[in-house]
Amino acid sequence: MNDNNPSPVIVTTTLGKSVITSDQQSLTILSEINMNIQAGESVAIVGASGSGKSTLLGLLAGLDSATSGSVELLGHKLEPLDEDARAQLRLGRVGFVYQAFNLMENLNALENVMLPLELDRTVTEIDQRALDALCEVGLEHRLNHKPGQLSGGEQQRVALARAFVTQPEILFADEPTGNLDAATGREIIERLFSLQQQYRTTLVMVTHDDQLAARCDRQLHLAEGRFLEQIAGQQ
């Protein structure tokens, strides 16, 4: 934890998500999810495939809508907000890292990192801030390379730079080492936690990586859409 007096930045109350299947049956993905994540905390959401981990991450970030219960993100209830209002809430305050990197293939590394800064019209010195972010992940020599010219580890480092360039209050990560070999995954883990501590960012991630999960302050175990147990980290 990075704050002597942490306050909750994410709160859920009896959160649930159901969908209608192709044969018109109701399928419950998440049920009765109650959680409270403090500012500066790192939390890993773990569980078997199909347990609802990525769905939960999307609900917490306001990328998807719940069918029951509520989510409070950075002091704002998400349920009354439309898609534009949720995007405005996330702007400059929430970052994302994905397993598939999600970089723009037609843009080089520097341009990819500049994207979230360009969305916020209050930000100045965009080029320099993006350059600094790439330097922090050791890619100052790959500024003009497009994703197809970078290794998987380099692409994920660009994604980390893009996620942290706005110095977000919260970072959501969905399997950030899932597409990487073990050695590269360890490097990304070190860079991820280094940046998280540097910017005092709240980190919420979904992962199958036991080593990565153990680095977090807490592990929340999902099974069949419900929390089974909570495990303290090994830091």
PDB file of all heavy atoms in Angstrom, residues 146-165:
ATOM      1  N   LYS A 146       6.808   0.523 -35.424  1.00  0.00           N
ATOM      2  CA  LYS A 146       5.405   0.161 -35.294  1.00  0.00           C
ATOM      3  C   LYS A 146       5.295  -1.196 -34.595  1.00  0.00           C
ATOM      4  O   LYS A 146       6.271  -1.950 -34.512  1.00  0.00           O
ATOM      5  CB  LYS A 146       4.739   0.138 -36.664  1.00  0.00           C
ATOM      6  CG  LYS A 146       4.661   1.526 -37.302  1.00  0.00           C
ATOM      7  CD  LYS A 146       3.932   1.513 -38.633  1.00  0.00           C
ATOM      8  CE  LYS A 146       3.837   2.934 -39.202  1.00  0.00           C
ATOM      9  NZ  LYS A 146       3.129   2.976 -40.498  1.00  0.00           N
ATOM     10  N   PRO A 147       4.101  -1.526 -34.061  1.00  0.00           N
ATOM     11  CA  PRO A 147       3.949  -2.767 -33.304  1.00  0.00           C
ATOM     12  C   PRO A 147       4.460  -4.014 -34.031  1.00  0.00           C
ATOM     13  O   PRO A 147       5.070  -4.894 -33.406  1.00  0.00           O
ATOM     14  CB  PRO A 147       2.439  -2.837 -33.069  1.00  0.00           C
ATOM     15  CG  PRO A 147       2.036  -1.405 -32.975  1.00  0.00           C
ATOM     16  CD  PRO A 147       2.883  -0.691 -33.998  1.00  0.00           C
ATOM     17  N   GLY A 148       4.231  -4.093 -35.326  1.00  0.00           N
ATOM     18  CA  GLY A 148       4.683  -5.255 -36.080  1.00  0.00           C
ATOM     19  C   GLY A 148       6.189  -5.400 -36.140  1.00  0.00           C
ATOM     20  O   GLY A 148       6.698  -6.470 -36.497  1.00  0.00           O
ATOM     21  N   GLN A 149       6.919  -4.349 -35.798  1.00  0.00           N
ATOM     22  CA  GLN A 149       8.378  -4.369 -35.787  1.00  0.00           C
ATOM     23  C   GLN A 149       8.944  -4.591 -34.393  1.00  0.00           C
ATOM     24  O   GLN A 149      10.155  -4.570 -34.204  1.00  0.00           O
ATOM     25  CB  GLN A 149       8.909  -3.041 -36.339  1.00  0.00           C
ATOM     26  CG  GLN A 149       8.486  -2.757 -37.777  1.00  0.00           C
ATOM     27  CD  GLN A 149       8.826  -1.340 -38.202  1.00  0.00           C
ATOM     28  OE1 GLN A 149       8.463  -0.370 -37.539  1.00  0.00           O
ATOM     29  NE2 GLN A 149       9.540  -1.235 -39.311  1.00  0.00           N
ATOM     30  N   LEU A 150       8.064  -4.823 -33.419  1.00  0.00           N
ATOM     31  CA  LEU A 150       8.476  -5.002 -32.032  1.00  0.00           C
ATOM     32  C   LEU A 150       8.178  -6.421 -31.564  1.00  0.00           C
ATOM     33  O   LEU A 150       7.228  -7.059 -32.022  1.00  0.00           O
ATOM     34  CB  LEU A 150       7.730  -4.011 -31.127  1.00  0.00           C
ATOM     35  CG  LEU A 150       7.915  -2.521 -31.437  1.00  0.00           C
ATOM     36  CD1 LEU A 150       6.957  -1.694 -30.580  1.00  0.00           C
ATOM     37  CD2 LEU A 150       9.356  -2.092 -31.201  1.00  0.00           C
ATOM     38  N   SER A 151       8.978  -6.911 -30.631  1.00  0.00           N
ATOM     39  CA  SER A 151       8.707  -8.209 -30.012  1.00  0.00           C
ATOM     40  C   SER A 151       7.495  -8.094 -29.094  1.00  0.00           C
ATOM     41  O   SER A 151       7.025  -6.994 -28.774  1.00  0.00           O
ATOM     42  CB  SER A 151       9.921  -8.663 -29.202  1.00  0.00           C
ATOM     43  OG  SER A 151      10.088  -7.820 -28.068  1.00  0.00           O
ATOM     44  N   GLY A 152       6.995  -9.239 -28.631  1.00  0.00           N
ATOM     45  CA  GLY A 152       5.856  -9.221 -27.727  1.00  0.00           C
ATOM     46  C   GLY A 152       6.159  -8.451 -26.450  1.00  0.00           C
ATOM     47  O   GLY A 152       5.338  -7.671 -25.965  1.00  0.00           O
ATOM     48  N   GLY A 153       7.345  -8.663 -25.898  1.00  0.00           N
ATOM     49  CA  GLY A 153       7.729  -7.950 -24.687  1.00  0.00           C
ATOM     50  C   GLY A 153       7.840  -6.455 -24.913  1.00  0.00           C
ATOM     51  O   GLY A 153       7.449  -5.657 -24.048  1.00  0.00           O
ATOM     52  N   GLU A 154       8.367  -6.066 -26.065  1.00  0.00           N
ATOM     53  CA  GLU A 154       8.469  -4.646 -26.380  1.00  0.00           C
ATOM     54  C   GLU A 154       7.087  -4.029 -26.566  1.00  0.00           C
ATOM     55  O   GLU A 154       6.832  -2.897 -26.128  1.00  0.00           O
ATOM     56  CB  GLU A 154       9.317  -4.445 -27.632  1.00  0.00           C
ATOM     57  CG  GLU A 154      10.803  -4.695 -27.413  1.00  0.00           C
ATOM     58  CD  GLU A 154      11.608  -4.678 -28.703  1.00  0.00           C
ATOM     59  OE1 GLU A 154      11.034  -5.007 -29.766  1.00  0.00           O
ATOM     60  OE2 GLU A 154      12.802  -4.353 -28.648  1.00  0.00           O
ATOM     61  N   GLN A 155       6.183  -4.773 -27.205  1.00  0.00           N
ATOM     62  CA  GLN A 155       4.819  -4.257 -27.374  1.00  0.00           C
ATOM     63  C   GLN A 155       4.140  -4.058 -26.023  1.00  0.00           C
ATOM     64  O   GLN A 155       3.448  -3.056 -25.802  1.00  0.00           O
ATOM     65  CB  GLN A 155       3.998  -5.218 -28.231  1.00  0.00           C
ATOM     66  CG  GLN A 155       4.406  -5.239 -29.695  1.00  0.00           C
ATOM     67  CD  GLN A 155       3.488  -6.106 -30.525  1.00  0.00           C
ATOM     68  OE1 GLN A 155       2.298  -5.838 -30.636  1.00  0.00           O
ATOM     69  NE2 GLN A 155       4.026  -7.162 -31.110  1.00  0.00           N
ATOM     70  N   GLN A 156       4.359  -4.996 -25.091  1.00  0.00           N
ATOM     71  CA  GLN A 156       3.738  -4.830 -23.780  1.00  0.00           C
ATOM     72  C   GLN A 156       4.373  -3.678 -23.005  1.00  0.00           C
ATOM     73  O   GLN A 156       3.690  -2.988 -22.239  1.00  0.00           O
ATOM     74  CB  GLN A 156       3.823  -6.136 -22.973  1.00  0.00           C
ATOM     75  CG  GLN A 156       2.940  -6.181 -21.734  1.00  0.00           C
ATOM     76  CD  GLN A 156       1.459  -6.032 -22.036  1.00  0.00           C
ATOM     77  OE1 GLN A 156       1.009  -5.003 -22.541  1.00  0.00           O
ATOM     78  NE2 GLN A 156       0.681  -7.067 -21.736  1.00  0.00           N
ATOM     79  N   ARG A 157       5.656  -3.413 -23.233  1.00  0.00           N
ATOM     80  CA  ARG A 157       6.290  -2.254 -22.597  1.00  0.00           C
ATOM     81  C   ARG A 157       5.715  -0.950 -23.163  1.00  0.00           C
ATOM     82  O   ARG A 157       5.522   0.021 -22.424  1.00  0.00           O
ATOM     83  CB  ARG A 157       7.802  -2.300 -22.769  1.00  0.00           C
ATOM     84  CG  ARG A 157       8.494  -3.234 -21.785  1.00  0.00           C
ATOM     85  CD  ARG A 157       9.978  -3.039 -21.792  1.00  0.00           C
ATOM     86  NE  ARG A 157      10.639  -3.780 -22.852  1.00  0.00           N
ATOM     87  CZ  ARG A 157      11.881  -3.537 -23.286  1.00  0.00           C
ATOM     88  NH1 ARG A 157      12.563  -2.534 -22.785  1.00  0.00           N
ATOM     89  NH2 ARG A 157      12.402  -4.272 -24.223  1.00  0.00           N
ATOM     90  N   VAL A 158       5.438  -0.926 -24.459  1.00  0.00           N
ATOM     91  CA  VAL A 158       4.757   0.241 -25.039  1.00  0.00           C
ATOM     92  C   VAL A 158       3.383   0.401 -24.392  1.00  0.00           C
ATOM     93  O   VAL A 158       2.962   1.512 -24.044  1.00  0.00           O
ATOM     94  CB  VAL A 158       4.619   0.110 -26.568  1.00  0.00           C
ATOM     95  CG1 VAL A 158       3.765   1.255 -27.131  1.00  0.00           C
ATOM     96  CG2 VAL A 158       5.987   0.106 -27.240  1.00  0.00           C
ATOM     97  N   ALA A 159       2.680  -0.722 -24.216  1.00  0.00           N
ATOM     98  CA  ALA A 159       1.357  -0.677 -23.596  1.00  0.00           C
ATOM     99  C   ALA A 159       1.444  -0.170 -22.157  1.00  0.00           C
ATOM    100  O   ALA A 159       0.570   0.591 -21.705  1.00  0.00           O
ATOM    101  CB  ALA A 159       0.713  -2.063 -23.633  1.00  0.00           C
ATOM    102  N   LEU A 160       2.493  -0.554 -21.434  1.00  0.00           N
ATOM    103  CA  LEU A 160       2.686  -0.043 -20.075  1.00  0.00           C
ATOM    104  C   LEU A 160       2.943   1.457 -20.093  1.00  0.00           C
ATOM    105  O   LEU A 160       2.383   2.203 -19.276  1.00  0.00           O
ATOM    106  CB  LEU A 160       3.860  -0.757 -19.404  1.00  0.00           C
ATOM    107  CG  LEU A 160       3.641  -2.180 -18.902  1.00  0.00           C
ATOM    108  CD1 LEU A 160       4.924  -2.719 -18.280  1.00  0.00           C
ATOM    109  CD2 LEU A 160       2.513  -2.236 -17.885  1.00  0.00           C
ATOM    110  N   ALA A 161       3.798   1.891 -21.010  1.00  0.00           N
ATOM    111  CA  ALA A 161       4.079   3.326 -21.118  1.00  0.00           C
ATOM    112  C   ALA A 161       2.807   4.102 -21.429  1.00  0.00           C
ATOM    113  O   ALA A 161       2.548   5.164 -20.852  1.00  0.00           O
ATOM    114  CB  ALA A 161       5.137   3.566 -22.196  1.00  0.00           C
ATOM    115  N   ARG A 162       1.999   3.576 -22.340  1.00  0.00           N
ATOM    116  CA  ARG A 162       0.732   4.233 -22.700  1.00  0.00           C
ATOM    117  C   ARG A 162      -0.213   4.279 -21.501  1.00  0.00           C
ATOM    118  O   ARG A 162      -0.894   5.285 -21.266  1.00  0.00           O
ATOM    119  CB  ARG A 162       0.072   3.480 -23.857  1.00  0.00           C
ATOM    120  CG  ARG A 162      -1.252   4.093 -24.326  1.00  0.00           C
ATOM    121  CD  ARG A 162      -1.901   3.231 -25.402  1.00  0.00           C
ATOM    122  NE  ARG A 162      -2.179   1.889 -24.920  1.00  0.00           N
ATOM    123  CZ  ARG A 162      -2.604   0.891 -25.683  1.00  0.00           C
ATOM    124  NH1 ARG A 162      -2.790   1.085 -26.978  1.00  0.00           N
ATOM    125  NH2 ARG A 162      -2.834  -0.303 -25.168  1.00  0.00           N
ATOM    126  N   ALA A 163      -0.243   3.209 -20.712  1.00  0.00           N
ATOM    127  CA  ALA A 163      -1.148   3.151 -19.566  1.00  0.00           C
ATOM    128  C   ALA A 163      -0.747   4.125 -18.464  1.00  0.00           C
ATOM    129  O   ALA A 163      -1.598   4.712 -17.800  1.00  0.00           O
ATOM    130  CB  ALA A 163      -1.188   1.729 -19.008  1.00  0.00           C
ATOM    131  N   PHE A 164       0.557   4.304 -18.274  1.00  0.00           N
ATOM    132  CA  PHE A 164       1.035   5.129 -17.170  1.00  0.00           C
ATOM    133  C   PHE A 164       1.329   6.569 -17.571  1.00  0.00           C
ATOM    134  O   PHE A 164       1.603   7.396 -16.707  1.00  0.00           O
ATOM    135  CB  PHE A 164       2.291   4.515 -16.555  1.00  0.00           C
ATOM    136  CG  PHE A 164       2.018   3.398 -15.586  1.00  0.00           C
ATOM    137  CD1 PHE A 164       2.178   2.073 -15.968  1.00  0.00           C
ATOM    138  CD2 PHE A 164       1.598   3.664 -14.292  1.00  0.00           C
ATOM    139  CE1 PHE A 164       1.924   1.038 -15.077  1.00  0.00           C
ATOM    140  CE2 PHE A 164       1.330   2.637 -13.395  1.00  0.00           C
ATOM    141  CZ  PHE A 164       1.502   1.319 -13.782  1.00  0.00           C
ATOM    142  N   VAL A 165       1.264   6.893 -18.855  1.00  0.00           N
ATOM    143  CA  VAL A 165       1.670   8.232 -19.301  1.00  0.00           C
ATOM    144  C   VAL A 165       0.780   9.322 -18.713  1.00  0.00           C
ATOM    145  O   VAL A 165       1.216  10.464 -18.530  1.00  0.00           O
ATOM    146  CB  VAL A 165       1.700   8.316 -20.848  1.00  0.00           C
ATOM    147  CG1 VAL A 165       0.295   8.320 -21.437  1.00  0.00           C
ATOM    148  CG2 VAL A 165       2.501   9.527 -21.309  1.00  0.00           C
TER     149      VAL A 165
END
